[in-house]
Amino acid sequence: MYKISMVSLGCPKNQVDAEIMLYSLKQAGFEIAEEEAQADAIIINTCGFIEDAKAEAIENILEAARYKNEGNLKALVVTGCLAERYKDDVTEEIPEVDVCVGLGSNGKIAEIVKEAIEGKMQNSFGDMADLDLNGKRILGGYPFSTYLKVAEGCNNCCTYCAIPKIRGPLRSRTIEECVAEARELAKGGVRELIVVAQDTTAYGTDIYGKPMLSKLLQELCKIDELHWIRTLYTYPDKITDEFLEVLANEPKLVKYLDIPLQHVNGEVLKRMNRKDDKESIKALIDKIRAKIPEITLRTTFITGFPGETEEQFCELCEFVKETRFDRLGCFTYSAEEDTIAAEYPDQIDEQTKVCRMENIMDMQTVIAAEKNQEKIGSVMEAVIEGWDDYIKCYFGRTTADAPEVDGKIFFMSNRPLVIGEFVKVRINDSIEYDLLGELEE
């Protein structure tokens, strides 16, 4: 029996792909190695979205390659977005890689890996339409929380983004398929379901002729075992009154909204091929906060987009100060091959991009700390993720915190607690992005 190990990088959508591949490998008779040194094959499931992600992928590939000398490794296999985007270039440019597998060949991963271990090193790139969006998974991470990928690909064609070229156009799963998987996950112990796609608010438009996220969320809320349902990657131009009504009134939907805005200056947004301007964005945020006063709003911005002037950047800074997002991530612009923005004149130097990004994040650190201070004395629901042996307390996340991207809550308890348990915590203090408290008995 061959042993395999997998490293999955990048976004939650990529993680779901990895979990489906792991299940098919195990069904084919592979054993999952406890340590990489034991593995006959290591699969690096890569992200290839921006330059930093590509660098991380290459670093992980080279790190895994050492097991050819120090362990049992016979085949180093690369899958995911980097493989799909660069195809045969991966094995040509990184000779440590034995086999490169495109997204359309994920369904044949067990056969490909077996052949690679036995000496047949053959790259495989199937049609993107062959990427099956359904399939059982071996979940990574916490057993009580996972992602539900409801669609693949994207039709937005933002000028800075290579995803439509890598992942293809929008391809939604049916409501029945999504609900069936969610029921299966809930039966297996999942209590927090996080709904994702490249543009989650576009879900269903390709097969139903209109956005169907609201309907899907209502159906998911009927699953008894689910306690929290969270939605990520909701695009501002597709957030409807119907969606906000569902979000406001369904108790299982956590009052948390992730809206990637990227900028607020009208000219920059136009050059990004985004559908919004500052006025529409401000109106949307005002509407959301009026409809759901307890909402946690998260967004992301890009600094240093080609042609971004100092004045346009200052406009973004003022918007961040005025709007006071609960959660905010900021990234420097990355000029990606085969994207329109990479050909724009007035590319901005790296130092300026980084300086602008750091300015935004410095402002947000202060805002986040102030917002956490406002929570002192309140009681919040949290899910327990573990015990910190160093500071001798439990830690977890509140409804206001998505996994991996947001903060934690650390708290004391006079009784033993169980990982995955939902509890009420009284907030006593905060440290920048994290909260401190004690179990509310």
Side-chain angles (χ1 to χ4, degrees), residues 221 227-229 246-255 381:
C221 286
H227 189 72
W228 285 353
I229 300 172
V246 171
L247 182 62
N249 294 313
E250 288 285 0
K252 290 186 179 183
L253 295 180
V254 297
K255 310 315 174 199
E381 187 175 40

Side-chain angles (χ1 to χ4, degrees), residues 42 90 97 108 117 130 133 260 285 339 398 401 408 420 422:
I42 296 176
V90 174
V97 176
K108 300 190 293 183
I117 291 171
D130 293 336
L133 306 188
I285 291 169
T339 62
T398 71
D401 300 299
K408 299 284 187 186
F422 291 85

Side-chain angles (χ1 to χ4, degrees), residues 105-248:
S105 292
N106 280 7
K108 300 190 293 183
I109 191 67
E111 175 190 344
I112 293 167
V113 172
K114 181 177 182 294
E115 289 181 349
I117 291 171
E118 294 173 354
K120 184 181 177 183
M121 307 298 185
Q122 185 72 45
N123 291 346
S124 181
F125 305 102
D127 192 300
M128 262 300 301
D130 293 336
L131 176 63
D132 193 350
L133 306 188
N134 299 296
K136 294 188 176 182
R137 298 151 56 187
I138 294 178
L139 301 185
Y142 294 108
F144 59 83
S145 175
T146 196
Y147 299 95
L148 178 70
K149 185 166 79 165
V150 299
E152 182 57 86
C154 185
N155 292 343
N156 290 334
C157 298
C158 301
T159 58
Y160 53 82
C161 183
I163 289 297
K165 295 180 184 296
I166 300 170
R167 293 266 176 179
L170 176 70
R171 187 159 60 100
S172 301
R173 303 168 68 188
T174 66
I175 289 176
E176 292 76 15
E177 288 169 340
C178 294
V179 172
E181 182 182 359
R183 289 190 186 281
E184 196 68 26
L185 291 168
K187 284 180 186 175
V190 170
R191 297 293 173 264
E192 180 188 30
L193 194 68
I194 306 164
V195 179
V196 296
Q198 302 297 338
D199 173 357
T200 311
T201 31
Y203 167 75
T205 53
D206 54 321
I207 54 177
Y208 297 110
K210 61 179 181 178
M212 292 293 278
L213 180 61
S214 299
K215 174 65 173 173
L216 172 61
L217 291 174
Q218 289 175 311
E219 293 301 312
L220 293 175
C221 286
K222 296 176 184 177
I223 301 174
D224 292 339
E225 297 92 338
L226 294 178
H227 189 72
W228 285 353
I229 300 172
R230 189 184 303 272
T231 306
L232 302 183
Y233 312 114
T234 57
Y235 276 56
D237 59 301
K238 301 184 187 74
I239 294 177
T240 62
D241 290 343
E242 179 190 19
F243 171 73
L244 293 179
E245 191 71 25
V246 171
L247 182 62

Side-chain angles (χ1 to χ4, degrees), residues 48-55 85-86 158-163 165-166 271-272 302-307 331-350 353-354:
F49 179 45
I50 58 175
E51 199 60 40
D52 285 350
K54 287 181 275 188
R85 187 173 186 183
Y86 296 106
C158 301
T159 58
Y160 53 82
C161 183
I163 289 297
K165 295 180 184 296
I166 300 170
R271 286 160 62 83
M272 288 179 167
I302 296 171
T303 58
F305 189 77
F331 306 90
T332 58
Y333 167 73
S334 175
E336 295 300 309
E337 312 100 299
D338 301 322
T339 62
I340 294 171
E343 303 302 319
Y344 281 162
D346 304 322
Q347 297 286 325
I348 292 173
D349 66 274
E350 198 63 30
K353 295 181 199 176
V354 171

Side-chain angles (χ1 to χ4, degrees), residues 6-11 13-18 21 43-49 54 57 61 77-87 90 99-106 109 124-125 128 131 149 152 163 165-167:
M6 179 179 285
V7 177
S8 190
L9 307 171
C11 69
K13 287 90 70 180
N14 212 37
Q15 180 179 323
V16 172
D17 292 347
M21 285 191 284
I43 301 170
I44 310 293
N45 189 44
T46 60
C47 175
F49 179 45
K54 287 181 275 188
I61 289 165
V77 181
V78 171
T79 61
C81 286
L82 192 77
E84 180 65 32
R85 187 173 186 183
Y86 296 106
K87 295 187 165 56
V90 174
V99 176
C100 192
V101 182
L103 297 165
S105 292
N106 280 7
I109 191 67
S124 181
F125 305 102
M128 262 300 301
L131 176 63
K149 185 166 79 165
E152 182 57 86
I163 289 297
K165 295 180 184 296
I166 300 170
R167 293 266 176 179

